[in-house]
Amino acid sequence: QRTGRGKYASGPGIHVLSAMGLRGSRLLAAALPVIRELQAEHGYAVALGVLWHRHVCYLFHGQPGQPLEAGIGGHKLFPAEQSSIGRVLLAARPEAEVRDLFAGDSDDAITRLLAGLVEIRQAGYAVAPDRSSLAVAIGDVPFAALAFSSFPPRAEFSLIAPLQSATRAIAGPLDPV
C-alpha cells in the first residue's frame, strides 16, 4: 500500500497471504506439538524447514526454554548445502534438478555435493557439514524436514530415532485423505 509520503509499504494483503499459507499447509499446526515434546525431552534446539530454490526457509527455529511462538519464522533464509535440512531435502531431489540449482558453482563443488547426497539417501538423515545439526525429511515424498541443533559432539546417533519418530508424527495428519 502507498504511504502518506508517496512510498510503498507492505499492506494487509501480505499478512493475509502469510496466514492463509500457514493455515492452508497445516504443517506448522501438525509440527508444533511434536516440536514442544522434542525440546522438552531432549533439551536441544529444533528447526522445521522447507527448501526454497537453493535456500532453507525455516518455518520454526527455536531454542528449548523459549516460548514456542518465538521460534515461528525465527530465522533467515540459509544456504541449503550448508544446512542439514537443506541437504536432506536436496537428497530427495533428482540429480539433474540439483545440478540445475547449483549450475553456477564449480564442477568440483557440484560433484562433492552430489556425492554427499548419495550418502544422505543411503543413511536416511543428514548432518550439516559443520556437524552443528542433524535432520530427517518429512513425508514419503519429502516436502519439509525436522532438525536438532546445538547438541554435544557424538550425540547425533542417539538423536536419529527420535527425529524419525517425530517426522512420522508430523506427516501422519498431513497425509491426503
Side-chain angles (χ1 to χ4, degrees), residues 6-69:
K7 297 188 179 198
Y8 290 91
S10 298
I14 194 73
H15 301 292
V16 171
L17 287 173
S18 178
M20 288 172 60
L22 286 174
R23 182 172 181 191
S25 79
R26 302 183 340 255
L27 175 57
L28 202 55
L32 287 177
V34 175
I35 289 170
R36 184 185 317 271
E37 284 182 32
L38 282 174
Q39 285 184 324
E41 185 175 333
H42 298 281
Y44 304 125
V46 176
L48 171 71
V50 296
L51 196 59
W52 177 251
H53 301 286
R54 289 180 58 155
H55 293 89
V56 172
C57 174
Y58 292 96
L59 303 177
F60 180 90
H61 196 289
Q63 300 295 324
Q66 119 187 100
L68 212 55
E69 60 272 8

Short mmCIF file of all heavy atoms in Angstrom, two decimals, residues 6-69:
data_model
loop_
_atom_site.label_atom_id
_atom_site.label_comp_id
_atom_site.label_asym_id
_atom_site.label_seq_id
_atom_site.Cartn_x
_atom_site.Cartn_y
_atom_site.Cartn_z
N GLY A 6 4.14 9.00 -0.16
CA GLY A 6 4.28 8.56 -1.55
C GLY A 6 5.16 7.34 -1.74
O GLY A 6 5.46 6.96 -2.86
N LYS A 7 5.58 6.71 -0.68
CA LYS A 7 6.37 5.48 -0.76
C LYS A 7 5.44 4.29 -0.59
O LYS A 7 4.26 4.45 -0.30
CB LYS A 7 7.46 5.49 0.30
CG LYS A 7 8.45 6.63 0.09
CD LYS A 7 9.61 6.51 1.01
CE LYS A 7 10.55 7.67 0.70
NZ LYS A 7 11.85 7.45 1.19
N TYR A 8 6.00 3.11 -0.74
CA TYR A 8 5.19 1.90 -0.61
C TYR A 8 5.65 1.08 0.59
O TYR A 8 6.84 0.99 0.88
CB TYR A 8 5.28 1.06 -1.89
CG TYR A 8 4.56 1.71 -3.04
CD1 TYR A 8 5.23 2.56 -3.90
CD2 TYR A 8 3.20 1.50 -3.23
CE1 TYR A 8 4.57 3.18 -4.95
CE2 TYR A 8 2.53 2.11 -4.26
CZ TYR A 8 3.22 2.95 -5.13
OH TYR A 8 2.55 3.57 -6.15
N ALA A 9 4.69 0.48 1.25
CA ALA A 9 4.95 -0.40 2.40
C ALA A 9 4.05 -1.62 2.28
O ALA A 9 3.04 -1.59 1.58
CB ALA A 9 4.66 0.34 3.71
N SER A 10 4.43 -2.69 2.95
CA SER A 10 3.59 -3.89 2.94
C SER A 10 2.24 -3.55 3.52
O SER A 10 2.13 -2.95 4.58
CB SER A 10 4.24 -4.99 3.79
OG SER A 10 5.48 -5.35 3.23
N GLY A 11 1.22 -3.97 2.82
CA GLY A 11 -0.14 -3.74 3.28
C GLY A 11 -0.70 -4.99 3.93
O GLY A 11 0.02 -5.98 4.12
N PRO A 12 -1.96 -4.98 4.27
CA PRO A 12 -2.56 -6.13 4.93
C PRO A 12 -2.57 -7.39 4.07
O PRO A 12 -2.59 -8.49 4.58
CB PRO A 12 -3.98 -5.66 5.25
CG PRO A 12 -4.23 -4.48 4.39
CD PRO A 12 -2.90 -3.88 4.08
N GLY A 13 -2.51 -7.23 2.74
CA GLY A 13 -2.53 -8.39 1.86
C GLY A 13 -1.41 -9.37 2.12
O GLY A 13 -1.61 -10.59 2.07
N ILE A 14 -0.22 -8.87 2.42
CA ILE A 14 0.91 -9.77 2.69
C ILE A 14 0.67 -10.59 3.94
O ILE A 14 1.01 -11.77 4.00
CB ILE A 14 2.26 -8.99 2.75
CG1 ILE A 14 3.43 -9.96 2.67
CG2 ILE A 14 2.38 -8.17 4.00
CD1 ILE A 14 3.64 -10.56 1.32
N HIS A 15 0.02 -10.00 4.94
CA HIS A 15 -0.28 -10.73 6.17
C HIS A 15 -1.38 -11.76 5.95
O HIS A 15 -1.34 -12.85 6.51
CB HIS A 15 -0.65 -9.74 7.28
CG HIS A 15 0.43 -8.75 7.56
ND1 HIS A 15 1.62 -9.10 8.12
CD2 HIS A 15 0.50 -7.43 7.30
CE1 HIS A 15 2.40 -8.04 8.21
NE2 HIS A 15 1.74 -7.00 7.72
N VAL A 16 -2.34 -11.42 5.11
CA VAL A 16 -3.41 -12.37 4.78
C VAL A 16 -2.83 -13.56 4.04
O VAL A 16 -3.13 -14.71 4.37
CB VAL A 16 -4.51 -11.68 3.94
CG1 VAL A 16 -5.50 -12.70 3.39
CG2 VAL A 16 -5.24 -10.63 4.76
N LEU A 17 -1.97 -13.31 3.06
CA LEU A 17 -1.34 -14.41 2.31
C LEU A 17 -0.50 -15.29 3.23
O LEU A 17 -0.51 -16.51 3.13
CB LEU A 17 -0.48 -13.86 1.18
CG LEU A 17 -1.22 -13.30 -0.01
CD1 LEU A 17 -0.25 -12.64 -0.98
CD2 LEU A 17 -2.01 -14.39 -0.72
N SER A 18 0.24 -14.66 4.14
CA SER A 18 1.07 -15.40 5.07
C SER A 18 0.21 -16.31 5.96
O SER A 18 0.49 -17.49 6.13
CB SER A 18 1.88 -14.43 5.92
OG SER A 18 2.64 -15.12 6.86
N ALA A 19 -0.84 -15.74 6.53
CA ALA A 19 -1.72 -16.52 7.40
C ALA A 19 -2.40 -17.64 6.63
O ALA A 19 -2.51 -18.78 7.12
CB ALA A 19 -2.76 -15.61 8.05
N MET A 20 -2.86 -17.35 5.42
CA MET A 20 -3.52 -18.37 4.61
C MET A 20 -2.55 -19.50 4.25
O MET A 20 -2.91 -20.67 4.25
CB MET A 20 -4.11 -17.75 3.35
CG MET A 20 -5.33 -16.89 3.62
SD MET A 20 -5.89 -15.96 2.17
CE MET A 20 -6.25 -17.27 1.02
N GLY A 21 -1.31 -19.12 3.96
CA GLY A 21 -0.31 -20.13 3.61
C GLY A 21 -0.01 -21.06 4.76
O GLY A 21 0.03 -22.28 4.60
N LEU A 22 0.19 -20.50 5.95
CA LEU A 22 0.49 -21.34 7.11
C LEU A 22 -0.70 -22.21 7.49
O LEU A 22 -0.57 -23.39 7.79
CB LEU A 22 0.91 -20.48 8.30
CG LEU A 22 2.31 -19.90 8.20
CD1 LEU A 22 2.57 -18.96 9.36
CD2 LEU A 22 3.35 -21.00 8.16
N ARG A 23 -1.88 -21.63 7.45
CA ARG A 23 -3.07 -22.39 7.81
C ARG A 23 -3.39 -23.44 6.75
O ARG A 23 -3.74 -24.57 7.06
CB ARG A 23 -4.26 -21.47 8.01
CG ARG A 23 -5.48 -22.24 8.42
CD ARG A 23 -6.61 -21.38 8.80
NE ARG A 23 -7.70 -22.25 9.19
CZ ARG A 23 -8.90 -21.84 9.39
NH1 ARG A 23 -9.19 -20.57 9.28
NH2 ARG A 23 -9.83 -22.68 9.73
N GLY A 24 -3.26 -23.05 5.50
CA GLY A 24 -3.59 -23.95 4.41
C GLY A 24 -2.68 -25.17 4.35
O GLY A 24 -3.10 -26.25 3.98
N SER A 25 -1.42 -25.01 4.72
CA SER A 25 -0.48 -26.14 4.64
C SER A 25 -0.67 -27.12 5.79
O SER A 25 -0.32 -28.27 5.69
CB SER A 25 0.95 -25.63 4.64
OG SER A 25 1.37 -25.30 5.94
N ARG A 26 -1.15 -26.64 6.90
CA ARG A 26 -1.35 -27.43 8.12
C ARG A 26 -0.04 -27.96 8.72
O ARG A 26 -0.05 -28.61 9.75
CB ARG A 26 -2.33 -28.59 7.89
CG ARG A 26 -3.67 -28.16 7.41
CD ARG A 26 -4.70 -29.28 7.22
NE ARG A 26 -4.22 -30.61 7.07
CZ ARG A 26 -4.17 -31.30 5.92
NH1 ARG A 26 -4.58 -30.76 4.82
NH2 ARG A 26 -3.73 -32.54 5.89
N LEU A 27 1.08 -27.68 8.07
CA LEU A 27 2.36 -28.20 8.53
C LEU A 27 2.73 -27.68 9.91
O LEU A 27 3.07 -28.46 10.80
CB LEU A 27 3.46 -27.87 7.53
CG LEU A 27 4.89 -28.24 7.91
CD1 LEU A 27 5.01 -29.74 8.21
CD2 LEU A 27 5.85 -27.84 6.80
N LEU A 28 2.66 -26.40 10.11
CA LEU A 28 3.06 -25.84 11.40
C LEU A 28 2.15 -26.33 12.52
O LEU A 28 2.64 -26.68 13.60
CB LEU A 28 3.07 -24.31 11.32
CG LEU A 28 3.93 -23.59 12.33
CD1 LEU A 28 5.36 -24.06 12.30
CD2 LEU A 28 3.87 -22.09 12.11
N ALA A 29 0.86 -26.42 12.26
CA ALA A 29 -0.08 -26.91 13.29
C ALA A 29 0.23 -28.36 13.67
O ALA A 29 0.15 -28.73 14.84
CB ALA A 29 -1.51 -26.78 12.79
N ALA A 30 0.61 -29.17 12.70
CA ALA A 30 0.95 -30.57 12.99
C ALA A 30 2.30 -30.67 13.69
O ALA A 30 2.51 -31.56 14.52
CB ALA A 30 0.98 -31.38 11.70
N ALA A 31 3.21 -29.75 13.38
CA ALA A 31 4.57 -29.85 13.90
C ALA A 31 4.76 -29.28 15.30
O ALA A 31 5.57 -29.80 16.08
CB ALA A 31 5.54 -29.16 12.94
N LEU A 32 4.08 -28.21 15.64
CA LEU A 32 4.35 -27.53 16.92
C LEU A 32 4.21 -28.43 18.15
O LEU A 32 5.07 -28.41 19.02
CB LEU A 32 3.51 -26.26 17.05
CG LEU A 32 3.98 -25.11 16.16
CD1 LEU A 32 3.04 -23.90 16.30
CD2 LEU A 32 5.41 -24.71 16.43
N PRO A 33 3.15 -29.24 18.26
CA PRO A 33 3.09 -30.12 19.44
C PRO A 33 4.25 -31.12 19.49
O PRO A 33 4.77 -31.43 20.57
CB PRO A 33 1.75 -30.85 19.29
CG PRO A 33 0.95 -30.03 18.35
CD PRO A 33 1.93 -29.33 17.45
N VAL A 34 4.67 -31.60 18.34
CA VAL A 34 5.79 -32.55 18.26
C VAL A 34 7.09 -31.84 18.64
O VAL A 34 7.91 -32.38 19.39
CB VAL A 34 5.87 -33.17 16.85
CG1 VAL A 34 7.09 -34.07 16.72
CG2 VAL A 34 4.59 -33.94 16.53
N ILE A 35 7.27 -30.63 18.16
CA ILE A 35 8.46 -29.85 18.49
C ILE A 35 8.53 -29.58 19.99
O ILE A 35 9.58 -29.70 20.61
CB ILE A 35 8.48 -28.54 17.68
CG1 ILE A 35 8.76 -28.84 16.21
CG2 ILE A 35 9.50 -27.54 18.23
CD1 ILE A 35 8.57 -27.67 15.26
N ARG A 36 7.39 -29.23 20.57
CA ARG A 36 7.34 -28.98 22.01
C ARG A 36 7.83 -30.21 22.79
O ARG A 36 8.63 -30.10 23.71
CB ARG A 36 5.91 -28.62 22.44
CG ARG A 36 5.80 -28.24 23.91
CD ARG A 36 4.35 -28.01 24.36
NE ARG A 36 3.53 -27.26 23.44
CZ ARG A 36 3.41 -25.92 23.44
NH1 ARG A 36 4.08 -25.19 24.30
NH2 ARG A 36 2.63 -25.33 22.56
N GLU A 37 7.37 -31.39 22.40
CA GLU A 37 7.79 -32.64 23.06
C GLU A 37 9.28 -32.90 22.87
O GLU A 37 9.97 -33.30 23.80
CB GLU A 37 6.99 -33.83 22.51
CG GLU A 37 5.58 -33.92 23.01
CD GLU A 37 4.87 -35.14 22.45
OE1 GLU A 37 5.54 -36.17 22.20
OE2 GLU A 37 3.65 -35.06 22.26
N LEU A 38 9.77 -32.70 21.64
CA LEU A 38 11.19 -32.93 21.37
C LEU A 38 12.06 -32.03 22.23
O LEU A 38 13.06 -32.48 22.80
CB LEU A 38 11.51 -32.67 19.89
CG LEU A 38 11.14 -33.74 18.89
CD1 LEU A 38 11.41 -33.24 17.47
CD2 LEU A 38 11.89 -35.03 19.16
N GLN A 39 11.71 -30.76 22.31
CA GLN A 39 12.51 -29.84 23.11
C GLN A 39 12.46 -30.21 24.59
O GLN A 39 13.48 -30.17 25.27
CB GLN A 39 12.04 -28.40 22.90
CG GLN A 39 12.46 -27.84 21.57
CD GLN A 39 12.07 -26.39 21.41
OE1 GLN A 39 11.02 -25.96 21.87
NE2 GLN A 39 12.92 -25.63 20.75
N ALA A 40 11.29 -30.57 25.07
CA ALA A 40 11.15 -30.92 26.49
C ALA A 40 11.94 -32.19 26.81
O ALA A 40 12.60 -32.27 27.84
CB ALA A 40 9.67 -31.10 26.84
N GLU A 41 11.87 -33.17 25.93
CA GLU A 41 12.52 -34.46 26.20
C GLU A 41 14.03 -34.43 26.00
O GLU A 41 14.78 -35.04 26.76
CB GLU A 41 11.91 -35.54 25.31
CG GLU A 41 12.44 -36.92 25.61
CD GLU A 41 11.74 -38.00 24.81
OE1 GLU A 41 10.57 -37.80 24.42
OE2 GLU A 41 12.38 -39.04 24.57
N HIS A 42 14.49 -33.68 24.98
CA HIS A 42 15.91 -33.74 24.64
C HIS A 42 16.69 -32.49 24.99
O HIS A 42 17.92 -32.55 25.12
CB HIS A 42 16.07 -34.08 23.15
CG HIS A 42 15.50 -35.41 22.80
ND1 HIS A 42 16.16 -36.59 23.05
CD2 HIS A 42 14.30 -35.76 22.27
CE1 HIS A 42 15.41 -37.60 22.67
NE2 HIS A 42 14.27 -37.12 22.20
N GLY A 43 16.04 -31.36 25.10
CA GLY A 43 16.71 -30.13 25.52
C GLY A 43 17.60 -29.48 24.49
O GLY A 43 18.49 -28.71 24.84
N TYR A 44 17.35 -29.75 23.21
CA TYR A 44 18.16 -29.15 22.15
C TYR A 44 17.29 -28.23 21.30
O TYR A 44 16.06 -28.31 21.30
CB TYR A 44 18.77 -30.22 21.24
CG TYR A 44 19.61 -31.22 21.99
CD1 TYR A 44 19.36 -32.58 21.88
CD2 TYR A 44 20.65 -30.80 22.82
CE1 TYR A 44 20.12 -33.51 22.58
CE2 TYR A 44 21.41 -31.72 23.52
CZ TYR A 44 21.15 -33.07 23.39
OH TYR A 44 21.90 -33.98 24.08
N ALA A 45 17.93 -27.37 20.53
CA ALA A 45 17.22 -26.53 19.58
C ALA A 45 16.59 -27.42 18.51
O ALA A 45 17.15 -28.46 18.15
CB ALA A 45 18.17 -25.53 18.94
N VAL A 46 15.44 -27.00 18.02
CA VAL A 46 14.73 -27.75 16.97
C VAL A 46 14.39 -26.78 15.85
O VAL A 46 14.03 -25.62 16.10
CB VAL A 46 13.44 -28.40 17.52
CG1 VAL A 46 12.66 -29.10 16.41
CG2 VAL A 46 13.76 -29.39 18.63
N ALA A 47 14.51 -27.26 14.62
CA ALA A 47 14.16 -26.45 13.45
C ALA A 47 13.28 -27.26 12.51
O ALA A 47 13.41 -28.48 12.40
CB ALA A 47 15.43 -26.00 12.72
N LEU A 48 12.38 -26.56 11.85
CA LEU A 48 11.50 -27.13 10.82
C LEU A 48 11.66 -26.24 9.60
O LEU A 48 11.50 -25.02 9.70
CB LEU A 48 10.05 -27.10 11.31
CG LEU A 48 8.97 -27.46 10.30
CD1 LEU A 48 9.02 -28.96 9.96
CD2 LEU A 48 7.59 -27.10 10.85
N GLY A 49 12.00 -26.83 8.47
CA GLY A 49 12.23 -26.02 7.29
C GLY A 49 11.82 -26.68 6.00
O GLY A 49 11.61 -27.90 5.95
N VAL A 50 11.72 -25.86 4.98
CA VAL A 50 11.42 -26.31 3.62
C VAL A 50 12.50 -25.77 2.69
O VAL A 50 13.18 -24.80 3.01
CB VAL A 50 10.01 -25.86 3.15
CG1 VAL A 50 8.93 -26.48 4.00
CG2 VAL A 50 9.89 -24.34 3.15
N LEU A 51 12.62 -26.39 1.55
CA LEU A 51 13.60 -25.97 0.56
C LEU A 51 12.97 -24.92 -0.35
O LEU A 51 11.87 -25.11 -0.87
CB LEU A 51 14.05 -27.18 -0.26
CG LEU A 51 15.31 -27.06 -1.08
CD1 LEU A 51 16.52 -26.72 -0.22
CD2 LEU A 51 15.57 -28.36 -1.83
N TRP A 52 13.66 -23.80 -0.52
CA TRP A 52 13.23 -22.75 -1.43
C TRP A 52 14.40 -22.46 -2.35
O TRP A 52 15.35 -21.78 -1.97
CB TRP A 52 12.80 -21.50 -0.65
CG TRP A 52 12.42 -20.36 -1.52
CD1 TRP A 52 13.13 -19.20 -1.69
CD2 TRP A 52 11.27 -20.26 -2.34
NE1 TRP A 52 12.47 -18.39 -2.57
CE2 TRP A 52 11.32 -19.02 -2.99
CE3 TRP A 52 10.19 -21.10 -2.59
CZ2 TRP A 52 10.34 -18.59 -3.88
CZ3 TRP A 52 9.21 -20.67 -3.47
CH2 TRP A 52 9.30 -19.43 -4.10
N HIS A 53 14.35 -23.03 -3.55
CA HIS A 53 15.44 -22.95 -4.51
C HIS A 53 16.73 -23.48 -3.85
O HIS A 53 16.78 -24.64 -3.51
CB HIS A 53 15.60 -21.54 -5.06
CG HIS A 53 14.37 -21.05 -5.75
ND1 HIS A 53 13.99 -21.50 -6.99
CD2 HIS A 53 13.41 -20.17 -5.36
CE1 HIS A 53 12.86 -20.93 -7.34
NE2 HIS A 53 12.48 -20.12 -6.37
N ARG A 54 17.71 -22.61 -3.63
CA ARG A 54 18.99 -23.04 -3.03
C ARG A 54 19.05 -22.72 -1.55
O ARG A 54 20.13 -22.74 -0.96
CB ARG A 54 20.15 -22.35 -3.74
CG ARG A 54 20.41 -22.84 -5.13
CD ARG A 54 21.56 -22.11 -5.75
NE ARG A 54 22.78 -22.26 -4.94
CZ ARG A 54 24.00 -22.16 -5.41
NH1 ARG A 54 24.19 -21.91 -6.70
NH2 ARG A 54 25.05 -22.28 -4.63
N HIS A 55 17.93 -22.41 -0.95
CA HIS A 55 17.92 -22.00 0.45
C HIS A 55 16.90 -22.78 1.27
O HIS A 55 15.93 -23.31 0.73
CB HIS A 55 17.59 -20.50 0.55
CG HIS A 55 18.64 -19.64 -0.02
ND1 HIS A 55 18.67 -19.27 -1.34
CD2 HIS A 55 19.74 -19.08 0.55
CE1 HIS A 55 19.74 -18.54 -1.56
NE2 HIS A 55 20.40 -18.40 -0.44
N VAL A 56 17.15 -22.80 2.56
CA VAL A 56 16.17 -23.35 3.50
C VAL A 56 15.39 -22.18 4.08
O VAL A 56 15.99 -21.19 4.52
CB VAL A 56 16.86 -24.14 4.64
CG1 VAL A 56 15.86 -24.55 5.72
CG2 VAL A 56 17.57 -25.35 4.08
N CYS A 57 14.08 -22.30 4.06
CA CYS A 57 13.22 -21.34 4.73
C CYS A 57 12.75 -22.03 6.01
O CYS A 57 12.11 -23.08 5.97
CB CYS A 57 12.01 -20.99 3.85
SG CYS A 57 10.82 -19.93 4.70
N TYR A 58 13.13 -21.46 7.14
CA TYR A 58 12.77 -22.05 8.43
C TYR A 58 11.39 -21.56 8.85
O TYR A 58 11.18 -20.38 9.09
CB TYR A 58 13.80 -21.66 9.49
CG TYR A 58 15.14 -22.30 9.24
CD1 TYR A 58 16.15 -21.61 8.58
CD2 TYR A 58 15.39 -23.60 9.67
CE1 TYR A 58 17.37 -22.20 8.35
CE2 TYR A 58 16.62 -24.20 9.43
CZ TYR A 58 17.61 -23.49 8.78
OH TYR A 58 18.80 -24.09 8.54
N LEU A 59 10.45 -22.49 8.95
CA LEU A 59 9.12 -22.17 9.48
C LEU A 59 9.20 -22.05 10.99
O LEU A 59 8.45 -21.30 11.60
CB LEU A 59 8.11 -23.24 9.08
CG LEU A 59 7.98 -23.50 7.58
CD1 LEU A 59 7.02 -24.63 7.33
CD2 LEU A 59 7.58 -22.24 6.85
N PHE A 60 10.12 -22.82 11.56
CA PHE A 60 10.34 -22.78 13.00
C PHE A 60 11.82 -22.99 13.26
O PHE A 60 12.45 -23.87 12.65
CB PHE A 60 9.53 -23.88 13.71
CG PHE A 60 9.73 -23.87 15.20
CD1 PHE A 60 8.91 -23.12 16.01
CD2 PHE A 60 10.76 -24.59 15.79
CE1 PHE A 60 9.11 -23.07 17.39
CE2 PHE A 60 10.97 -24.56 17.17
CZ PHE A 60 10.14 -23.80 17.96
N HIS A 61 12.36 -22.21 14.18
CA HIS A 61 13.75 -22.39 14.61
C HIS A 61 13.82 -21.87 16.04
O HIS A 61 13.90 -20.67 16.26
CB HIS A 61 14.70 -21.62 13.69
CG HIS A 61 16.12 -22.04 13.82
ND1 HIS A 61 16.88 -21.78 14.93
CD2 HIS A 61 16.91 -22.73 12.97
CE1 HIS A 61 18.09 -22.28 14.75
NE2 HIS A 61 18.14 -22.86 13.57
N GLY A 62 13.72 -22.77 17.00
CA GLY A 62 13.63 -22.33 18.38
C GLY A 62 14.52 -23.08 19.34
O GLY A 62 14.90 -24.22 19.12
N GLN A 63 14.82 -22.40 20.40
CA GLN A 63 15.66 -22.93 21.48
C GLN A 63 14.79 -23.50 22.59
O GLN A 63 13.70 -22.97 22.85
CB GLN A 63 16.55 -21.82 22.06
CG GLN A 63 17.47 -21.19 21.04
CD GLN A 63 18.50 -22.14 20.51
OE1 GLN A 63 19.02 -23.00 21.23
NE2 GLN A 63 18.82 -22.03 19.24
N PRO A 64 15.25 -24.52 23.30
CA PRO A 64 14.49 -25.02 24.44
C PRO A 64 14.40 -23.93 25.51
O PRO A 64 15.31 -23.11 25.67
CB PRO A 64 15.31 -26.21 24.94
CG PRO A 64 16.66 -26.05 24.35
CD PRO A 64 16.51 -25.22 23.11
N GLY A 65 13.27 -23.88 26.18
CA GLY A 65 13.07 -22.89 27.22
C GLY A 65 12.51 -21.58 26.72
O GLY A 65 12.04 -20.77 27.50
N GLN A 66 12.55 -21.35 25.42
CA GLN A 66 11.98 -20.13 24.87
C GLN A 66 10.52 -20.43 24.49
O GLN A 66 10.20 -21.57 24.17
CB GLN A 66 12.84 -19.66 23.68
CG GLN A 66 12.18 -19.56 22.34
CD GLN A 66 13.15 -19.26 21.21
OE1 GLN A 66 13.53 -20.18 20.50
NE2 GLN A 66 13.53 -18.03 21.00
N PRO A 67 9.64 -19.45 24.56
CA PRO A 67 8.26 -19.71 24.15
C PRO A 67 8.22 -20.24 22.72
O PRO A 67 8.96 -19.76 21.86
CB PRO A 67 7.58 -18.34 24.25
CG PRO A 67 8.45 -17.52 25.12
CD PRO A 67 9.85 -18.06 24.97
N LEU A 68 7.37 -21.22 22.49
CA LEU A 68 7.28 -21.85 21.18
C LEU A 68 7.03 -20.83 20.07
O LEU A 68 7.64 -20.88 19.00
CB LEU A 68 6.17 -22.91 21.20
CG LEU A 68 6.35 -24.13 20.33
CD1 LEU A 68 7.66 -24.84 20.62
CD2 LEU A 68 5.19 -25.08 20.49
N GLU A 69 6.14 -19.87 20.32
CA GLU A 69 5.81 -18.89 19.28
C GLU A 69 7.01 -18.03 18.89
O GLU A 69 7.06 -17.48 17.78
CB GLU A 69 4.61 -18.02 19.68
CG GLU A 69 4.80 -17.22 20.93
CD GLU A 69 4.40 -17.96 22.21
OE1 GLU A 69 4.12 -19.18 22.17
OE2 GLU A 69 4.41 -17.32 23.26
#
